[in-house]
Amino acid sequence: MSLRYALLGLLAGEPASGYDLTQRFEKQLGLIWPAKHPQIYGELNKLADAGLIEIDSEGPRGRKVYRITDAGRAEAKRWLTEEPVDRTARLEPLLRSLFYWLMDPEDLRAHLAAEAAYYRQAAAGFEQFAADKDGGVYGDSPQVKSMRVTIEAGVKLYEALADWAEWAQTVPPAEPQD
Amino acid sequence: MSLRYALLGLLAGEPASGYDLTQRFEKQLGLIWPAKHPQIYGELNKLADAGLIEIDSEGPRGRKVYRITDAGRAEAKRWLTEEPVDRTARLEPLLRSLFYWLMDPEDLRAHLAAEAAYYRQAAAGFEQFAADKDGGVYGDSPQVKSMRVTIEAGVKLYEALADWAEWAQTVPPAEPQD
DNA sequence: GTTCGACGTGTCTCTTCATACATGTCAAGT
DNA sequence: ACTTGACATGTATGAAGAGACACGTCGAAC
């Protein structure tokens, strides 16, 4: 259900086509809410049928730019204020860590090093983004201010994971099991 | 696919029934990898068909205790060392934060306070768990050592989110939009 | 003129997961 | 004797999501 609101929220910021939105998911939203084009196009059609968005203009190659409607804006706001937050997290890397005792120590060392590197780099990516925002590269519209808050969550989250993976490397390995 | 390995990993630690495993997901794993009983029972039957687990004993009320097989242990190890880590994260609260600019400031304040409280409490839960482990309540088997590592991730992660939600409350609200 | 890469929208199929429904057992308290 | 709550395992249905397949367009480089 969240993808529906993600699209609605993005369109509340500015009109966009399915292709535009797919790019944004790929480049910006992938780390917090991934979505592929089949799902996006499908959901856009459902949103249009429901009258929450409408076609703003059509362009070359069948491009359809959508715009949010008043009903859509109201629905987005309703979601934000009335729908309970879904705090479900599904973190495969943490699930794996529960079974580290099954791994050979050398494999585990390599694994944790890769984990730390990945998370540190992801955090750095968010930080770069934050620096650009703070530097005014994107202006200071309300949307940009909210995005800055989201990015801060990304920084803190991925740094926490990087710190964890580094810390885990200092924990003495258990005897290997078979 | 991960649930399959979650069950395999848990059974590598000790034999358990579907009911036992459901309880563990509810009480311990819910915050990092939720799973409900229909999925668990279904997956257990598939694992048994594949010869990765087998029935250890049967008890009252149709209770079936499963035990991991050698093939299952090998498969779990293969997963841990050969399968690429899936670092996909899908965090609805962070997605929401992207659209905070659509909310009325007073609603947002209340929302962030609730977020901070929730994450702080979740972190405290993990910390309590960690303290028990460190206090030796659960012994110091290799499984417990791994779980201690996982718990540390939980602590760091949820504290990061709590810090974020508290920090976000200090960010001056944007002008309300309609 | 052709080729190539980005642009652009869609369908089909399969897996995963959530929710509701369905069924029955056993122990303990009243 | 009866009721209640925990124990215990399943099925049915539908939504969400991933990956493959499918089709067509436009601009730029060669």
Side-chain angles (χ1 to χ4, degrees):
Chain A
M1 215 58 222
S2 292
L3 178 64
R4 183 186 186 87
Y5 297 107
L7 296 171
L8 215 45
L10 290 173
L11 290 174
E14 54 176 351
S17 70
Y19 189 82
D20 297 337
L21 293 164
T22 301
Q23 302 297 103
R24 289 197 65 179
F25 274 91
E26 209 168 281
K27 292 178 184 142
Q28 298 167 23
L29 290 172
L31 288 176
I32 60 165
W33 198 273
K36 307 286 184 183
H37 83 267
Q39 219 195 331
I40 292 169
Y41 286 115
E43 201 60 47
L44 284 173
N45 284 323
K46 283 185 206 163
L47 282 165
D49 287 347
L52 302 177
I53 62 175
E54 61 193 4
I55 297 205
D56 181 73
S57 66
E58 305 205 17
R61 278 164 289 201
R63 175 182 170 91
K64 285 184 281 183
V65 176
Y66 291 96
R67 164 181 64 215
I68 196 167
T69 63
D70 288 343
R73 234 181 305 269
E75 173 61 7
K77 214 169 165 181
R78 191 198 62 74
W79 172 60
L80 286 164
T81 55
E82 290 173 31
E83 289 287 320
V85 179
D86 177 7
R87 299 198 186 83
T88 306
R90 201 169 245 118
L91 303 165
E92 205 244 39
L94 264 57
L95 179 64
R96 262 170 201 264
S97 73
L98 211 46
F99 309 124
Y100 280 169
W101 63 279
L102 288 165
M103 292 177 78
D104 294 327
E106 56 266 44
D107 288 338
L108 179 54
R109 240 191 319 272
H111 167 78
L112 285 172
E115 287 287 282
Y118 176 87
Y119 297 127
R120 198 61 79 188
Q121 197 178 351
F126 276 109
E127 253 163 60
Q128 180 57 53
F129 219 163
D132 289 349
K133 300 272 177 203
D134 294 343
V137 176
Y138 301 92
D140 67 335
S141 63
Q143 292 99 302
V144 169
K145 279 185 186 161
S146 282
M147 193 177 289
R148 179 63 186 81
V149 171
T150 307
I151 287 167
E152 186 64 23
V155 171
K156 285 181 154 64
L157 215 54
Y158 283 95
E159 295 235 298
L161 286 170
D163 288 348
W164 166 73
E166 275 169 19
W167 167 85
Q169 292 178 66
T170 70
V171 176
E175 301 305 301
Q177 305 282 316
D178 271 292
Chain B
M1 215 60 223
S2 293
L3 178 64
R4 184 187 186 89
Y5 296 107
L7 296 171
L8 215 45
L10 290 173
L11 290 174
E14 55 176 350
S17 69
Y19 189 83
D20 297 338
L21 293 163
T22 301
Q23 302 297 103
R24 289 198 65 180
F25 273 91
E26 209 168 282
K27 291 178 184 141
Q28 297 167 24
L29 290 172
L31 288 176
I32 60 165
W33 198 274
K36 307 287 185 182
H37 82 269
Q39 218 195 332
I40 292 170
Y41 286 116
E43 201 60 46
L44 284 173
N45 283 325
K46 282 185 206 163
L47 282 166
D49 287 347
L52 301 178
I53 62 175
E54 60 193 5
I55 297 203
D56 180 74
S57 66
E58 305 205 17
R61 278 164 288 199
R63 174 181 170 91
K64 285 184 282 183
V65 175
Y66 291 96
R67 164 180 63 213
I68 196 167
T69 63
D70 287 342
R73 234 180 307 270
E75 173 61 7
K77 214 169 164 180
R78 192 198 60 75
W79 172 60
L80 285 165
T81 55
E82 289 174 31
E83 290 287 319
V85 180
D86 176 7
R87 300 197 186 84
T88 306
R90 200 169 246 118
L91 303 165
E92 205 243 38
L94 264 56
L95 179 64
R96 262 170 200 266
S97 72
L98 211 47
F99 309 125
Y100 281 169
W101 62 279
L102 288 165
M103 292 177 77
D104 293 327
E106 56 266 44
D107 288 338
L108 178 55
R109 243 193 315 275
H111 167 78
L112 285 172
E115 287 289 281
Y118 176 87
Y119 296 127
R120 198 61 81 188
Q121 197 179 352
F126 277 109
E127 253 164 60
Q128 180 57 51
F129 219 164
D132 290 350
K133 299 272 176 202
D134 293 343
V137 176
Y138 300 91
D140 67 335
S141 62
Q143 292 99 302
V144 168
K145 279 184 186 162
S146 282
M147 194 176 292
R148 179 63 185 81
V149 171
T150 307
I151 287 166
E152 186 64 22
V155 172
K156 285 181 153 63
L157 215 54
Y158 282 95
E159 295 236 297
L161 286 170
D163 288 347
W164 167 72
E166 274 169 20
W167 166 83
Q169 292 178 65
T170 70
V171 176
E175 300 305 301
Q177 304 283 317
D178 271 291

Coordinates of all heavy atoms in Angstrom, one line a residue, chain B residues 100-101 103-113 169 173:
Chain B
Y100 N 6.8 15.0 5.1 CA 6.5 15.8 6.3 C 6.0 17.2 6.0 O 5.2 17.8 6.7 CB 7.7 15.9 7.2 CG 7.9 14.6 8.1 CD1 9.1 14.5 8.8 CD2 7.0 13.6 8.2 CE1 9.3 13.3 9.5 CE2 7.2 12.5 8.9 CZ 8.4 12.3 9.6 OH 8.6 11.2 10.4
W101 N 6.5 17.7 4.9 CA 6.1 19.1 4.5 C 4.6 19.2 4.2 O 4.1 20.3 4.1 CB 7.0 19.6 3.3 CG 6.8 18.7 2.0 CD1 7.3 17.5 1.7 CD2 5.9 19.1 1.0 NE1 6.9 17.1 0.5 CE2 6.0 18.0 0.0 CE3 5.1 20.1 0.6 CZ2 5.3 18.0 -1.2 CZ3 4.4 20.1 -0.6 CH2 4.5 19.1 -1.5
M103 N 2.4 17.9 6.2 CA 1.6 17.8 7.4 C 1.5 19.2 8.1 O 2.4 20.0 8.0 CB 2.3 16.8 8.4 CG 2.3 15.4 7.9 SD 3.2 14.3 9.0 CE 2.0 14.1 10.4
D104 N 0.5 19.3 8.9 CA 0.4 20.5 9.8 C 1.4 20.3 10.9 O 1.7 19.2 11.4 CB -1.0 20.5 10.5 CG -2.1 20.8 9.4 OD1 -1.8 21.5 8.4 OD2 -3.2 20.2 9.6
P105 N 2.1 21.5 11.3 CA 3.2 21.4 12.3 C 2.8 20.7 13.6 O 3.6 19.9 14.1 CB 3.5 22.9 12.5 CG 3.1 23.6 11.2 CD 1.9 22.8 10.7
E106 N 1.6 20.9 14.0 CA 1.2 20.3 15.3 C 1.1 18.7 15.2 O 1.5 18.0 16.0 CB 0.0 20.9 15.9 CG -1.3 20.9 15.1 CD -1.4 22.2 14.3 OE1 -0.4 22.7 13.7 OE2 -2.6 22.7 14.2
D107 N 0.6 18.3 14.0 CA 0.5 16.9 13.8 C 1.9 16.3 13.7 O 2.1 15.2 14.2 CB -0.3 16.6 12.4 CG -1.8 16.9 12.6 OD1 -2.3 16.8 13.7 OD2 -2.4 17.1 11.5
L108 N 2.8 17.0 13.0 CA 4.1 16.5 12.8 C 4.8 16.4 14.2 O 5.5 15.4 14.4 CB 4.9 17.5 11.9 CG 6.4 17.1 11.6 CD1 6.5 15.7 11.1 CD2 7.0 18.1 10.6
R109 N 4.6 17.4 15.0 CA 5.3 17.4 16.3 C 4.8 16.1 17.1 O 5.7 15.4 17.6 CB 4.9 18.6 17.1 CG 6.1 19.5 17.5 CD 5.7 20.5 18.6 NE 4.4 21.2 18.3 CZ 4.3 22.3 17.5 NH1 5.3 22.8 16.9 NH2 3.1 22.8 17.3
A110 N 3.6 15.9 17.1 CA 3.0 14.7 17.8 C 3.6 13.4 17.2 O 4.0 12.5 17.9 CB 1.5 14.7 17.7
H111 N 3.6 13.4 15.9 CA 4.1 12.2 15.2 C 5.6 11.9 15.5 O 5.9 10.8 15.9 CB 4.0 12.4 13.6 CG 4.8 11.4 12.8 ND1 4.3 10.2 12.6 CD2 6.0 11.5 12.2 CE1 5.2 9.5 11.8 NE2 6.2 10.3 11.6
L112 N 6.4 12.9 15.5 CA 7.8 12.7 15.8 C 8.0 12.3 17.2 O 8.9 11.5 17.5 CB 8.6 14.0 15.5 CG 8.8 14.3 14.0 CD1 9.5 15.7 13.8 CD2 9.7 13.2 13.4
A113 N 7.2 12.9 18.1 CA 7.3 12.5 19.5 C 7.0 11.0 19.7 O 7.7 10.2 20.4 CB 6.4 13.3 20.4
Q169 N 12.7 16.9 15.6 CA 11.8 17.8 16.4 C 12.4 19.2 16.6 O 11.7 20.2 16.8 CB 11.5 17.2 17.7 CG 10.6 16.0 17.6 CD 10.3 15.4 19.0 OE1 9.6 15.9 19.8 NE2 10.8 14.2 19.2
P173 N 9.9 24.0 11.5 CA 8.9 23.5 10.6 C 8.8 24.4 9.4 O 9.0 25.7 9.5 CB 7.6 23.5 11.3 CG 7.8 24.5 12.4 CD 9.3 24.4 12.8

